[in-house]
Amino acid sequence: AYRADEDYDYLFKIVLIGDSGVGKSNILSRFTKNEFCVLSKSTIGVEFATRSIRVDDKVLKAQIWDTAGQERYRSITSAYYRGAVGALLVYDVTRHSTFENVEKWFKEIRDHTDNKIVVMVVGNKADLNHLRAVSVEDARTFAARERTFFMETSALDSTNIENAFTELLTQIYHVVS
Ligand code: GDP
Ligand code: MG
């Protein structure tokens, strides 16, 4: 049957969270525009971008929010989290401190959102394997303990970007439907 482009069954707000420089904005542009930017443009944040995917016979529209660099000062406001049903919590596999901070971001998500929020922990920059500072095993252990989802991605070479969002949206869909 014909469906207009803008037609969707569910609209899900997703927030991107994690330390500055881990690749949040590039994950978003890779998923929504298939674009990657070598230069970091931390101050030119879009508010959000959207993309729809199909799961079963439903169209799930993701409205994905990005920060404009506020994460640098841990000053993300509650408005950012309001209404979010999913979060992609990103660290950089080449910077261990960004992984250590995942726990703090977790707490921040919990403090600001409904406890049904679906969180996926994402280790980005997996293309830089020679510079790796966080093992897959450590990340898996952490994710299992927090009962959350985990995936390594690369916004640069596109590894798992589609998979991460598809998995997150599918899990959210299972929670709400
Ligand atoms: P944000 O501050 O979390 O939004 O991070 P950005 O998306 O601005 O990315 C910070 C820097 O990391 C930029 O120079 C990007 O080009 C780079 N970057 C982002 N994702 C990847 C990736 O998957 N692999 C590599 N090698 N670099 C990346
Ligand atoms: Mg950014």
Side-chain angles (χ1 to χ4, degrees):
Y2 171 81
R3 291 188 75 150
D5 274 355
E6 62 273 22
D7 197 12
Y8 58 85
D9 298 293
Y10 293 93
L11 177 66
F12 295 144
K13 176 175 172 179
I14 312 264
V15 289
L16 283 163
I17 214 78
D19 284 4
S20 182
V22 297
K24 298 181 297 298
S25 298
N26 277 283
I27 288 173
L28 179 62
S29 63
R30 176 62 79 194
F31 182 63
T32 59
K33 298 186 290 187
N34 199 20
E35 282 176 15
F36 181 84
C37 187
V38 181
L39 300 169
S40 189
K41 291 185 276 186
S42 58
T43 53
I44 319 166
V46 291
E47 253 195 328
F48 62 80
T50 62
R51 196 182 133 187
S52 297
I53 64 156
R54 191 174 276 274
V55 171
D56 300 335
D57 59 338
K58 302 293 186 212
V59 176
L60 314 181
K61 181 171 180 171
Q63 184 188 70
I64 308 151
W65 288 62
D66 190 16
T67 65
Q70 316 93 302
E71 73 275 25
R72 203 178 295 259
Y73 316 101
R74 283 193 190 286
S75 60
I76 294 175
T77 60
S78 28
Y80 186 74
Y81 293 103
R82 193 168 300 132
V85 290
L88 221 60
L89 204 179
V90 188
Y91 68 92
D92 175 345
V93 300
T94 72
R95 281 195 294 147
H96 201 270
S97 61
T98 67
F99 179 64
E100 289 157 34
N101 285 334
V102 165
E103 200 141 2
K104 292 177 195 155
W105 288 116
F106 240 109
K107 189 176 179 319
E108 167 130 348
I109 292 169
R110 294 236 169 83
D111 288 349
H112 286 89
T113 63
D114 195 284
N115 59 12
K116 281 201 303 244
I117 191 168
V118 181
V119 179
M120 171 161 299
V121 174
V122 162
N124 189 45
K125 308 196 188 181
D127 57 282
L128 299 175
N129 202 33
H130 55 296
L131 298 174
R132 178 183 287 279
V134 182
S135 71
V136 175
E137 200 189 341
D138 283 356
R140 279 224 181 92
T141 304
F142 175 84
R145 200 179 69 218
E146 297 288 338
R147 297 173 197 283
T148 191
F149 302 93
F150 164 71
M151 223 176 259
E152 281 198 350
T153 61
S154 168
L156 186 142
D157 69 15
S158 298
T159 301
N160 274 344
I161 298 294
E162 291 278 329
N163 287 344
F165 281 103
T166 302
E167 176 77 7
L168 182 65
L169 289 163
T170 303
Q171 294 299 334
I172 295 165
Y173 170 60
H174 288 149
V175 171
V176 301
S177 64

Coordinates of all heavy atoms in Angstrom, one line a residue, residues 79-139:
A79 N 15.8 19.6 29.8 CA 15.0 19.7 28.6 C 15.5 18.8 27.5 O 14.8 18.2 26.7 CB 15.0 21.2 28.1
Y80 N 16.8 18.6 27.6 CA 17.5 17.7 26.6 C 16.9 16.3 26.7 O 16.7 15.6 25.7 CB 19.0 17.7 26.8 CG 19.8 17.0 25.7 CD1 19.9 17.4 24.4 CD2 20.4 15.8 26.1 CE1 20.7 16.7 23.5 CE2 21.1 15.0 25.1 CZ 21.3 15.5 23.8 OH 22.0 14.8 22.9
Y81 N 16.8 15.8 28.0 CA 16.4 14.5 28.2 C 14.9 14.3 28.2 O 14.4 13.1 28.1 CB 16.8 14.0 29.6 CG 18.3 13.9 29.8 CD1 19.1 14.9 30.4 CD2 19.0 12.8 29.3 CE1 20.5 14.8 30.6 CE2 20.4 12.7 29.4 CZ 21.1 13.6 30.1 OH 22.4 13.5 30.2
R82 N 14.1 15.3 28.3 CA 12.7 15.2 28.4 C 12.0 14.5 27.3 O 12.2 14.8 26.1 CB 12.1 16.6 28.5 CG 10.6 16.6 29.0 CD 10.1 18.0 29.4 NE 10.9 18.6 30.5 CZ 11.5 19.8 30.4 NH1 11.3 20.6 29.4 NH2 12.2 20.3 31.5
G83 N 11.3 13.4 27.7 CA 10.5 12.7 26.7 C 11.4 11.6 26.0 O 10.9 10.9 25.1
A84 N 12.7 11.5 26.3 CA 13.5 10.5 25.6 C 13.1 9.1 26.0 O 12.9 8.8 27.2 CB 15.0 10.8 25.9
V85 N 13.0 8.2 25.0 CA 12.8 6.8 25.3 C 14.0 5.9 25.0 O 14.0 4.7 25.3 CB 11.5 6.3 24.5 CG1 10.3 6.9 25.0 CG2 11.7 6.6 23.0
G86 N 15.0 6.6 24.5 CA 16.2 5.8 24.2 C 17.4 6.7 24.3 O 17.3 7.9 24.1
A87 N 18.6 6.1 24.6 CA 19.8 6.9 24.7 C 21.0 6.0 24.1 O 21.1 4.8 24.3 CB 20.2 7.3 26.1
L88 N 21.8 6.7 23.3 CA 23.0 6.1 22.8 C 24.1 6.8 23.6 O 24.4 8.0 23.5 CB 23.2 6.4 21.3 CG 23.7 5.4 20.4 CD1 22.8 4.2 20.4 CD2 23.9 5.9 19.0
L89 N 24.7 5.9 24.5 CA 25.7 6.5 25.4 C 27.1 6.1 24.8 O 27.5 4.9 24.8 CB 25.5 5.8 26.8 CG 26.1 6.6 28.0 CD1 25.8 5.8 29.3 CD2 27.5 6.9 27.9
V90 N 27.8 7.1 24.3 CA 29.0 6.9 23.5 C 30.3 7.2 24.3 O 30.4 8.2 25.0 CB 28.9 7.8 22.2 CG1 30.0 7.5 21.3 CG2 27.6 7.7 21.5
Y91 N 31.3 6.3 24.1 CA 32.6 6.5 24.5 C 33.5 6.3 23.3 O 33.1 5.8 22.3 CB 33.0 5.7 25.7 CG 33.1 4.2 25.5 CD1 34.4 3.6 25.1 CD2 32.0 3.4 25.5 CE1 34.5 2.3 24.8 CE2 32.1 2.0 25.3 CZ 33.4 1.5 24.9 OH 33.5 0.1 24.6
D92 N 34.8 6.6 23.5 CA 35.8 6.5 22.4 C 36.7 5.4 22.8 O 37.4 5.4 23.9 CB 36.5 7.9 22.3 CG 37.7 7.9 21.4 OD1 38.2 6.8 21.0 OD2 38.2 9.0 21.1
V93 N 36.8 4.3 22.0 CA 37.6 3.1 22.3 C 39.1 3.5 22.5 O 39.9 2.7 23.0 CB 37.4 2.0 21.3 CG1 36.0 1.5 21.3 CG2 38.0 2.3 20.0
T94 N 39.5 4.6 22.0 CA 41.0 5.0 22.1 C 41.3 5.9 23.3 O 42.4 6.2 23.6 CB 41.5 5.8 20.9 OG1 40.9 7.1 20.8 CG2 41.1 5.0 19.6
R95 N 40.2 6.3 24.1 CA 40.4 7.1 25.3 C 39.7 6.5 26.5 O 38.5 6.6 26.6 CB 39.9 8.6 25.0 CG 40.8 9.4 24.2 CD 40.5 10.9 24.3 NE 39.2 11.1 23.7 CZ 38.3 12.1 24.1 NH1 38.6 12.8 25.2 NH2 37.2 12.2 23.5
H96 N 40.5 5.9 27.3 CA 39.9 5.2 28.5 C 39.1 6.1 29.4 O 38.1 5.6 29.9 CB 41.0 4.5 29.3 CG 40.5 3.3 30.1 ND1 40.1 3.5 31.4 CD2 40.3 2.0 29.7 CE1 39.7 2.3 31.8 NE2 39.8 1.4 30.8
S97 N 39.5 7.3 29.5 CA 38.7 8.2 30.4 C 37.3 8.4 30.0 O 36.4 8.5 30.8 CB 39.4 9.6 30.5 OG 39.4 10.2 29.2
T98 N 37.0 8.3 28.7 CA 35.7 8.4 28.2 C 34.8 7.2 28.5 O 33.6 7.3 28.7 CB 35.6 8.7 26.6 OG1 36.1 7.5 26.0 CG2 36.5 9.8 26.2
F99 N 35.5 6.1 28.7 CA 34.8 4.8 29.1 C 34.6 4.9 30.6 O 33.5 4.5 31.1 CB 35.7 3.6 28.8 CG 35.1 2.3 29.2 CD1 33.9 1.8 28.7 CD2 35.7 1.5 30.2 CE1 33.3 0.6 29.1 CE2 35.2 0.3 30.6 CZ 34.0 -0.1 30.0
E100 N 35.5 5.4 31.4 CA 35.3 5.6 32.8 C 34.1 6.5 33.1 O 33.4 6.3 34.1 CB 36.6 6.1 33.5 CG 37.8 5.2 33.5 CD 39.1 5.8 33.6 OE1 39.2 6.9 34.3 OE2 40.1 5.3 33.0
N101 N 33.9 7.5 32.3 CA 32.8 8.4 32.5 C 31.5 7.9 32.1 O 30.4 8.5 32.4 CB 33.1 9.7 31.7 CG 34.2 10.5 32.4 OD1 34.3 10.4 33.6 ND2 34.9 11.4 31.7
V102 N 31.4 6.7 31.4 CA 30.2 6.1 31.0 C 29.2 5.9 32.3 O 28.0 6.2 32.2 CB 30.4 4.8 30.3 CG1 29.1 4.0 30.2 CG2 30.9 5.0 28.9
E103 N 29.8 5.5 33.4 CA 29.1 5.3 34.6 C 28.4 6.6 35.1 O 27.2 6.6 35.5 CB 30.0 4.8 35.7 CG 29.3 4.1 36.8 CD 30.0 2.9 37.3 OE1 31.1 2.6 36.8 OE2 29.5 2.2 38.2
K104 N 29.1 7.7 35.0 CA 28.6 9.0 35.4 C 27.4 9.4 34.4 O 26.4 9.9 34.9 CB 29.6 10.1 35.3 CG 30.7 10.0 36.4 CD 31.8 11.0 36.3 CE 33.0 10.6 37.1 NZ 34.2 11.3 36.6
W105 N 27.6 9.2 33.1 CA 26.5 9.5 32.2 C 25.3 8.6 32.4 O 24.2 9.1 32.3 CB 27.0 9.3 30.7 CG 28.0 10.4 30.3 CD1 29.3 10.2 30.0 CD2 27.7 11.8 30.2 NE1 29.9 11.5 29.7 CE2 28.9 12.4 29.8 CE3 26.6 12.6 30.5 CZ2 29.0 13.8 29.6 CZ3 26.7 14.0 30.3 CH2 27.9 14.6 29.8
F106 N 25.5 7.4 32.8 CA 24.5 6.5 33.2 C 23.6 7.1 34.3 O 22.4 7.1 34.2 CB 25.0 5.2 33.6 CG 24.6 4.0 32.8 CD1 25.4 3.4 31.9 CD2 23.2 3.6 32.8 CE1 25.0 2.4 31.2 CE2 22.8 2.6 32.0 CZ 23.7 2.0 31.2
K107 N 24.3 7.5 35.3 CA 23.6 8.1 36.5 C 22.8 9.4 36.0 O 21.7 9.5 36.4 CB 24.7 8.5 37.5 CG 24.0 8.9 38.8 CD 25.1 9.1 39.9 CE 24.4 9.6 41.2 NZ 23.3 10.5 41.1
E108 N 23.4 10.2 35.2 CA 22.8 11.4 34.7 C 21.5 11.0 33.9 O 20.4 11.6 34.1 CB 23.8 12.2 33.8 CG 23.1 13.2 33.0 CD 23.8 14.6 33.1 OE1 24.6 14.8 34.0 OE2 23.4 15.5 32.3
I109 N 21.6 10.0 33.1 CA 20.4 9.5 32.3 C 19.3 9.1 33.3 O 18.1 9.4 33.2 CB 20.8 8.4 31.4 CG1 21.7 8.9 30.2 CG2 19.5 7.7 30.8 CD1 22.3 7.8 29.4
R110 N 19.7 8.3 34.3 CA 18.8 7.7 35.3 C 18.1 8.9 36.0 O 16.9 8.8 36.4 CB 19.5 6.8 36.2 CG 20.0 5.5 35.5 CD 19.4 4.3 36.2 NE 19.7 3.1 35.3 CZ 20.9 2.5 35.4 NH1 21.8 2.8 36.2 NH2 21.0 1.4 34.6
D111 N 18.9 9.9 36.4 CA 18.3 11.0 37.2 C 17.4 11.9 36.4 O 16.5 12.5 36.9 CB 19.5 11.9 37.6 CG 20.3 11.3 38.7 OD1 19.9 10.2 39.3 OD2 21.4 11.8 39.0
H112 N 17.5 11.8 35.0 CA 16.7 12.7 34.2 C 15.6 12.1 33.4 O 14.8 12.8 32.7 CB 17.6 13.5 33.3 CG 18.4 14.6 33.9 ND1 19.6 14.3 34.4 CD2 18.1 15.9 34.2 CE1 20.1 15.4 35.0 NE2 19.2 16.4 34.8
T113 N 15.5 10.7 33.4 CA 14.5 10.1 32.5 C 13.7 9.0 33.3 O 14.1 8.6 34.4 CB 15.2 9.4 31.3 OG1 16.1 8.4 31.8 CG2 16.0 10.4 30.5
D114 N 12.7 8.6 32.6 CA 11.9 7.5 33.0 C 12.8 6.2 33.1 O 13.7 6.0 32.3 CB 10.9 7.3 31.8 CG 9.7 6.4 32.2 OD1 9.9 5.2 32.3 OD2 8.7 7.0 32.5
N115 N 12.5 5.3 34.1 CA 13.4 4.2 34.2 C 13.2 3.1 33.1 O 14.0 2.2 33.0 CB 13.4 3.6 35.6 CG 12.0 3.1 36.0 OD1 11.1 3.0 35.1 ND2 11.8 2.8 37.2
K116 N 12.2 3.4 32.2 CA 12.1 2.4 31.1 C 12.9 2.8 29.9 O 12.9 2.1 28.9 CB 10.6 2.4 30.7 CG 9.7 1.6 31.6 CD 8.4 1.2 30.9 CE 7.6 2.4 30.3 NZ 6.3 2.6 31.0
I117 N 13.7 3.8 30.0 CA 14.5 4.3 28.9 C 15.5 3.1 28.5 O 16.1 2.5 29.3 CB 15.3 5.6 29.2 CG1 15.9 6.1 27.9 CG2 16.3 5.4 30.3 CD1 16.5 7.6 28.0
V118 N 15.6 2.9 27.2 CA 16.5 1.9 26.6 C 17.8 2.5 26.3 O 17.9 3.5 25.6 CB 15.9 1.2 25.4 CG1 16.9 0.2 24.9 CG2 14.5 0.6 25.7
V119 N 18.9 2.0 26.9 CA 20.2 2.6 26.8 C 21.1 1.6 26.0 O 21.1 0.4 26.3 CB 20.9 2.9 28.1 CG1 22.3 3.5 27.9 CG2 20.0 3.9 28.9
M120 N 21.8 2.1 25.0 CA 22.8 1.3 24.3 C 24.1 2.0 24.5 O 24.3 3.2 24.2 CB 22.5 1.2 22.8 CG 23.7 0.5 22.1 SD 23.4 -0.2 20.5 CE 22.2 -1.5 20.9
V121 N 25.1 1.3 25.1 CA 26.5 1.8 25.2 C 27.2 1.5 23.9 O 27.1 0.4 23.4 CB 27.1 1.1 26.4 CG1 28.6 1.5 26.5 CG2 26.4 1.4 27.7
V122 N 27.8 2.5 23.4 CA 28.5 2.4 22.1 C 30.0 2.8 22.2 O 30.3 3.9 22.7 CB 27.8 3.3 21.1 CG1 28.7 3.6 19.9 CG2 26.5 2.7 20.6
G123 N 30.9 1.9 21.9 CA 32.3 2.2 21.8 C 32.6 2.6 20.4 O 32.7 1.8 19.5
N124 N 32.8 3.9 20.2 CA 33.0 4.4 18.8 C 34.5 4.5 18.5 O 35.3 4.4 19.4 CB 32.3 5.8 18.7 CG 32.3 6.3 17.3 OD1 32.0 5.5 16.3 ND2 32.6 7.6 17.0
K125 N 34.8 4.7 17.2 CA 36.1 4.8 16.6 C 36.8 3.4 16.6 O 38.0 3.3 16.8 CB 37.0 5.9 17.4 CG 36.4 7.2 17.5 CD 37.3 8.3 17.8 CE 36.6 9.6 18.1 NZ 37.4 10.8 18.5
A126 N 36.0 2.4 16.4 CA 36.5 1.0 16.4 C 37.5 0.9 15.2 O 38.3 -0.1 15.2 CB 35.4 0.0 16.3
D127 N 37.5 1.8 14.2 CA 38.4 1.7 13.1 C 39.9 2.0 13.6 O 40.8 1.6 12.9 CB 38.0 2.8 12.0 CG 38.0 4.2 12.6 OD1 36.9 4.5 13.2 OD2 38.9 5.0 12.4
L128 N 40.0 2.6 14.7 CA 41.4 2.9 15.3 C 41.8 1.8 16.2 O 42.2 2.0 17.4 CB 41.3 4.3 16.0 CG 41.0 5.5 15.2 CD1 40.9 6.7 16.1 CD2 42.0 5.7 14.1
N129 N 41.8 0.6 15.7 CA 42.1 -0.6 16.6 C 43.5 -0.6 17.1 O 43.7 -1.0 18.2 CB 41.8 -1.9 15.7 CG 41.6 -3.1 16.6 OD1 41.0 -2.9 17.7 ND2 42.1 -4.2 16.2
H130 N 44.4 0.0 16.3 CA 45.8 0.1 16.8 C 46.0 1.0 17.9 O 47.1 1.0 18.6 CB 46.7 0.5 15.6 CG 46.3 1.8 14.9 ND1 45.1 1.9 14.3 CD2 46.9 2.9 14.8 CE1 45.0 3.1 13.8 NE2 46.0 3.8 14.1
L131 N 45.0 1.9 18.2 CA 45.1 2.9 19.3 C 44.2 2.5 20.4 O 44.0 3.3 21.4 CB 44.8 4.3 18.8 CG 45.7 4.9 17.7 CD1 45.1 6.2 17.2 CD2 47.1 5.1 18.3
R132 N 43.6 1.3 20.4 CA 42.6 0.9 21.3 C 43.1 1.0 22.8 O 44.2 0.5 23.1 CB 42.2 -0.6 21.0 CG 41.2 -1.2 21.9 CD 40.9 -2.6 21.6 NE 40.1 -2.7 20.3 CZ 38.8 -2.6 20.3 NH1 38.1 -2.3 21.4 NH2 38.2 -2.7 19.1
A133 N 42.2 1.5 23.7 CA 42.6 1.6 25.1 C 41.5 1.0 26.0 O 41.7 0.9 27.2 CB 42.7 3.1 25.5
V134 N 40.4 0.5 25.3 CA 39.3 -0.1 26.0 C 39.0 -1.5 25.3 O 38.8 -1.5 24.1 CB 38.0 0.7 26.1 CG1 36.9 0.0 26.9 CG2 38.3 2.1 26.6
S135 N 39.1 -2.6 26.0 CA 38.8 -3.9 25.4 C 37.3 -4.1 25.2 O 36.5 -3.6 26.0 CB 39.5 -5.0 26.2 OG 38.7 -5.2 27.4
V136 N 37.0 -4.9 24.2 CA 35.6 -5.3 24.0 C 35.1 -6.0 25.2 O 34.0 -5.8 25.7 CB 35.5 -6.2 22.8 CG1 34.0 -6.7 22.6 CG2 35.9 -5.4 21.5
E137 N 36.0 -6.8 25.8 CA 35.6 -7.6 27.0 C 35.1 -6.7 28.2 O 34.1 -7.0 28.8 CB 36.7 -8.5 27.4 CG 36.3 -9.7 28.2 CD 37.5 -10.5 28.7 OE1 38.6 -10.3 28.2 OE2 37.3 -11.2 29.7
D138 N 36.0 -5.7 28.5 CA 35.6 -4.8 29.6 C 34.3 -4.1 29.3 O 33.5 -4.0 30.3 CB 36.7 -3.8 29.8 CG 38.0 -4.3 30.5 OD1 37.9 -5.5 30.9 OD2 39.0 -3.6 30.6
A139 N 34.1 -3.7 28.1 CA 32.8 -3.0 27.8 C 31.6 -3.9 27.9 O 30.6 -3.6 28.4 CB 32.9 -2.4 26.4

